[in-house]
Amino acid sequence: MPIPNEQQTRKRVRELVLELAPNPEKGDQDEVLLVEDLEYHSLALLELAFALEDEFDLPPIDEQSVQNIRTAADIENHVVRQLKSKDAEPLAATTE
């Protein structure tokens, strides 16, 4: 399976955010707020986190990262960062 590029990853993250959003109608903006605009509540946010972990084979999100995520763009950035750090791990291990 080919590795998605960053644009494809961001698009898929946004699709998941809107698929699981209690109120997806306001999801066409980059800075759409998860709680205030899309009406995510704690259970829906957990469901989204699990869906992203499964979709992108990510580790569970840590408490520090959760505190910095407020918008759909924040989620996109988090997933892209996690994927880039995951891609860099084998390279770091082989250069030691």
Side-chain angles (χ1 to χ4, degrees):
M1 185 163 113
I3 298 171
N5 66 29
E6 184 174 329
Q7 184 178 5
Q8 292 169 322
T9 299
R10 289 180 182 280
K11 181 178 182 219
R12 182 62 186 137
V13 169
R14 183 61 60 110
E15 288 170 355
L16 284 170
V17 167
L18 295 178
E19 281 176 25
L20 298 173
N23 181 18
E25 288 88 35
K26 296 182 182 178
D28 59 350
Q29 334 160 24
D30 276 342
E31 294 303 313
V32 63
L33 297 169
L34 298 172
V35 174
E36 293 85 347
D37 296 330
L38 298 178
E39 300 178 13
Y40 268 94
H41 48 78
S42 58
L43 185 58
L45 287 168
L46 278 174
E47 185 179 354
L48 176 60
F50 292 141
L52 292 168
E53 289 169 14
D54 288 346
E55 179 79 16
F56 297 101
D57 192 29
L58 299 175
I61 189 167
D62 61 88
E63 193 174 324
Q64 181 67 33
S65 296
V66 168
Q67 293 175 357
N68 295 321
I69 293 178
R70 299 200 58 223
T71 67
D74 291 339
I75 293 178
E76 292 173 16
N77 293 335
H78 172 77
V79 170
V80 167
R81 270 193 311 273
Q82 289 295 309
L83 291 174
K84 285 181 178 179
S85 70
K86 193 165 84 168
D87 287 345
E89 285 176 12
L91 181 62
T94 58
T95 58
E96 290 178 1

